[in-house]
DNA sequence: TGCGAAATGAAACGATCGTTTGGTTATCCT
DNA sequence: AGGATAACCAAACGATCGTTTCATTTCGCA
């Protein structure tokens, strides 16, 4: 029976523990016992506890940013860009749920390491640029500050880690579309319909996890 | 010179430390040295470290819920209820910024203590009821799942702790109105205007902090 | 003024944590 | 087969943490 790479087991155990108890409240013994080894043996794979945190978090953080970069390079109409960016964000949150939750709880906000804040800022700026495109083309209303609108959307998306669970009754794509309908069309009833998206041509699909050889 | 209550100093120092470093990563010595005393002396005011966390967090948590309870009892139109609830949420986040940030980072999500989850659920349900009122009256479109729309709004509001800072260039009320315009009217340009709010008759105003006598 | 309680100082304790060390077993390659 | 290296065991260390204990100072008030 070919056992999967031990490194993946360690990262998954670390991610699960970090998400439920938080990084600081998780001991290396928690992680070690979850994978069935002594805490000292973890140091055959890592140099410090923080290595585990960064390894957990790096994959989805880079993936979500890269997908938005690719999308920004297209010349789809802003409405469609917003819809695809939202779908991409939700899908990565869905398929990397534990890892992404750890990122949002432990990296975004607290630790001010320049590497991560630069990624956060670039993501925000790319999304805001899409909103600005829509305002400039007249497609979006100009009453709302583009940066505030962007931060509102990001907040809604990232708050998913507080209530969404993969495999629940609501599919990831449904939630993404609901968010889009809300942000694009608003709550209030209108006669002129907000354009709903048709069949989706996915930009790319990427796969769960990272690698490592000690 | 009449020194303010020592208990307030302790809570404020604890809140500031919890917010920047997180609860688990904050030591009692951090807090003690911030107020100029020995960590053991803190136990004249508390029974355990967790007491500090709950004391920091209880005030705004109860206040934000109570304000939404009062608002729900009125019979304002749903649009105006949403606007006032949003303003109230942002204002409490603004005037109790550090305390509320600690709540969102340390209580909501992690700790599953029934007391707090009950408050979270009630807040969510009250806000969702307002959205449902709007859908039932035809004021709001029925295309968006009310619960999803409510969670989207709450997510935008609570994400404020990640980027808003009291005293910054954007006033709290401006942000609240921007959020409302966005959630009610949507991004997409429309001919029929979303109703903007007039002068506000405040429901109540409450004051910063709690008390305690050891 | 003096007394009792509140407030703080100062030190210590036991537990736990991240990390190190040195040895033992398993696995892979030629 | 055998040697190198990866993988893991087992124990220990030093630091730090939350908490306790007891002594000392400060303060309100009769």
């Amino acid at each position: 029976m070919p056992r999967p790479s031990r490194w993946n087991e360690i990262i998954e155990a670390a991610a699960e523990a970090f998400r439920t108890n938080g990084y600081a409240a998780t001991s290396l013994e928690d992680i070690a016992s979850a994978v069935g080894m002594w805490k000292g043996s973890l140091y055959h794979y890592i140099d410090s506890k923080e290595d585990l945190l960064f390894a957990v978090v790096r994959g989805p953080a880079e993936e979500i940013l890269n997908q938005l970069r690719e999308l920004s390079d297209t010349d789809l109409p802003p409405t469609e860009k917003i819809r695809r960016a939202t779908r991409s964000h939700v899908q990565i949150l869905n398929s990397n749920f534990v890892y992404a939750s750890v990122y949002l709880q432990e990296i975004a906000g607290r630790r001010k390491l320049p590497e991560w804040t630069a990624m956060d800022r670039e993501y925000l700026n790319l999304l805001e640029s899409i909103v600005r495109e829509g305002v400039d083309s007249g497609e979006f209303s100009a009453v709302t500050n583009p940066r505030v609108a962007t931060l509102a959307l990001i907040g809604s998306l990232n708050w998913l880690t507080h209530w969404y669970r993969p495999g629940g009754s609501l599919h990831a794509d449904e939630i993404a579309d609901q968010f889009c309908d809300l942000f694009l069309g608003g709550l209030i009833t209108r006669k002129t319909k907000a354009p709903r998206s048709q069949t989706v041509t996915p930009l790319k699909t990427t796969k769960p996890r990272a690698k490592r050889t000690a």
Side-chain angles (χ1 to χ4, degrees), chain A:
Chain A
M1 49 185 169
R3 280 217 278 141
S5 158
R6 211 81 164 92
W7 172 248
N8 287 341
E9 297 181 30
I10 293 171
I11 291 300
E12 276 167 34
E16 191 59 49
F18 290 162
R19 191 183 75 85
T20 57
N21 295 356
Y23 171 79
T26 298
S27 72
L28 289 180
E29 193 161 289
D30 293 337
I31 300 169
S33 76
V35 300
M37 60 194 232
W38 295 68
K39 61 174 179 173
S41 306
L42 288 173
Y43 282 79
H44 191 251
Y45 298 87
I46 61 175
D47 290 332
S48 76
K49 186 188 175 186
E50 266 200 334
D51 286 358
L52 285 174
L53 177 59
F54 296 146
V56 160
V57 134
R58 176 160 291 114
E62 291 175 348
E63 188 179 347
I64 204 171
L65 177 56
N66 283 332
Q67 293 211 4
L68 185 57
R69 281 176 176 150
E70 292 183 25
L71 178 64
S72 296
D73 272 341
T74 69
D75 41 12
L76 294 163
T79 299
E80 186 63 21
K81 278 189 181 177
I82 291 286
R83 192 169 293 274
R84 296 200 185 195
T86 302
R87 283 208 183 106
S88 159
H89 195 119
V90 175
Q91 278 166 357
I92 291 177
L93 240 56
N94 173 69
S95 51
N96 303 77
F97 186 72
V98 180
Y99 304 91
S101 298
V102 172
Y103 180 89
L104 292 174
Q105 288 176 14
E106 301 291 340
I107 304 288
R110 262 199 270 295
R111 305 165 185 270
K112 288 300 183 187
L113 304 176
E115 176 188 4
W116 305 106
T117 50
M119 291 180 64
D120 287 347
R121 184 163 39 237
E122 184 182 354
Y123 191 86
L124 171 63
N125 287 337
L126 285 175
L127 206 52
E128 183 184 345
S129 295
I130 297 178
V131 175
R132 287 190 188 278
E133 285 177 33
V135 174
D136 292 343
S137 73
E139 207 168 334
F140 293 164
S141 158
V143 300
T144 311
N145 181 331
R147 172 150 293 234
V148 172
T150 306
L151 287 162
L153 176 56
I154 289 179
S156 293
L157 291 167
N158 288 341
W159 193 251
L160 279 167
T161 59
H162 283 74
W163 59 275
Y164 175 74
R165 291 296 177 275
S169 55
L170 279 171
H171 257 237
D173 283 335
E174 301 178 57
I175 292 177
D177 284 337
Q178 297 257 330
F179 276 11
C180 279
D181 293 344
L182 180 59
F183 275 89
L184 295 175
L187 274 176
I188 294 179
T189 310
R190 62 166 84 194
K191 308 297 168 291
T192 64
K193 303 284 287 188
R196 306 296 288 273
S197 179
Q198 321 77 328
T199 50
V200 192
T201 67
L203 282 179
K204 206 179 66 175
T205 324
T206 345
K207 274 296 107 183
R209 211 63 282 297
K211 270 316 235 320
R212 152 105 187 210
T213 26

